[in-house]
Amino acid sequence: MDSIDASLHHFMNKKEWQERFEKVKKEVLMDKRIQSFLKEHSAWNEDTLDRDLMKLYEYKKERENCDFCPGLKRCPNMMKGYQPVIAVENDQLLIRYQSCTLKRQEEERKKQQSLMKSMYIPKEILEATFDSIDQDHKSRLAASNKCLQFAMEANPGKDGKGLYLCGKFGVGKTYMMGAIVNELAARNIPSMIVYVPDFFRELKQSVTDGTVQEKIDYVKKMDVLILDDIGAETISAWIRDDVLGVILQYRMMEKLPTLYTSNYDYDELEEHLSYSQKGGIERLKAKRIMERIRHLTTFVFVDGKNRRESL
């Protein structure tokens, strides 16, 4: 019986296999990423990479899948949601896998939703895009353009200016915010939509399990924070001063953009914030909150027909 080495040598000298091997080698060497790797690592060149050819071929095919990504659910890679990187360790070429942007975004969203039930956003909003926004009203078109401009230019940590979308029920304010979230995701900028009434209600309930501060810290440090339907909550002095005030103060100091949707304009929201559950009126404290909101947002009025009535 021939030795394994002899058998392998005999197999490798078969013309058909050799031609296939050379074809694969040619494809690998034409890959720009692999060309860049070979330039940086002189130990590997066209004459010596035969031993690592299949590793590089695996890298090439998997990265091509990423180049034409069909989405996380339909990811064709061996490890769904992971992309390969070339590594060198002890003069050995290794192919390692790291989570892709979409995978990290999904994990971050799951982390957010496990921390806060108020992070639940309808599927329609999560899939919103600017192309799908109805532009059948001049006001909605102008608002959509403002939102797109923000999404394309947002620079958390450098510019803390956000948007304040105001309008009646069902005109598409939250949908536009969903489009912003998805556009920011394409730029690898983390963001979060919080439905304000549920968020504040959840914080009150979290006093008993000791997670209030954890939730406040998580929200206040998010790169881009969207407070959806502010003004629809039942206000209290604690919520206004120790929650909302603390969040906005931190974000102002760190230049982190905060965006809002509301049925109230600035003056109406200030009036709302001045009243508490106990019936007191504290206009000065409400004014302090509103100064931060006014100073760090651009007011955008959204009008049009109520989209919910047509559902």
Side-chain angles (χ1 to χ4, degrees), residues 195-213:
Y195 180 60
V196 172
D198 282 354
F199 175 51
F200 289 162
R201 190 179 305 115
E202 185 174 346
L203 285 181
K204 293 176 183 177
Q205 296 170 350
S206 299
V207 172
T208 56
D209 63 19
T211 61
V212 171
Q213 193 58 51

Side-chain angles (χ1 to χ4, degrees), residues 1-11:
M1 178 180 288
D2 292 339
S3 68
I4 294 176
D5 287 343
S7 298
L8 183 61
H9 178 75
H10 174 74
F11 179 73

Side-chain angles (χ1 to χ4, degrees), residues 45-60:
N45 54 55
E46 186 174 350
D47 298 324
T48 61
L49 59 71
D50 287 7
R51 65 175 183 176
D52 296 313
L53 184 64
M54 297 317 295
K55 292 180 183 178
L56 292 173
Y57 183 72
E58 172 191 327
Y59 169 82
K60 172 182 176 295

Side-chain angles (χ1 to χ4, degrees), residues 27-41 56-68 83-86 93:
E27 287 182 21
V28 166
L29 290 174
M30 290 177 63
D31 186 274
K32 291 183 179 179
R33 283 180 286 250
I34 293 176
Q35 289 175 2
S36 178
F37 167 79
L38 293 177
K39 287 181 181 178
E40 294 177 8
H41 299 81
L56 292 173
Y57 183 72
E58 172 191 327
Y59 169 82
K60 172 182 176 295
K61 298 300 290 184
E62 297 280 281
R63 284 307 297 259
E64 285 177 347
N65 289 338
C66 295
D67 291 339
F68 301 96
Q83 58 184 189
V85 293
I86 303 177
L93 186 147

Side-chain angles (χ1 to χ4, degrees), residues 281-306:
I281 301 176
E282 298 178 295
R283 298 194 183 279
L284 181 58
K285 291 185 177 181
K287 190 174 290 293
R288 286 174 182 165
I289 297 289
M290 287 308 304
E291 280 302 306
R292 295 167 188 164
I293 296 177
R294 292 176 194 267
H295 179 65
L296 290 172
T297 58
T298 297
F299 186 88
V300 180
F301 179 67
V302 187
D303 201 2
K305 69 177 182 180
N306 189 332

Side-chain angles (χ1 to χ4, degrees), residues 150 153-162 254-257 296:
F150 171 84
E153 299 177 358
N155 191 9
K158 300 293 184 181
D159 183 1
K161 193 83 168 181
E254 297 298 321
K255 295 185 177 180
L256 299 175
L296 290 172

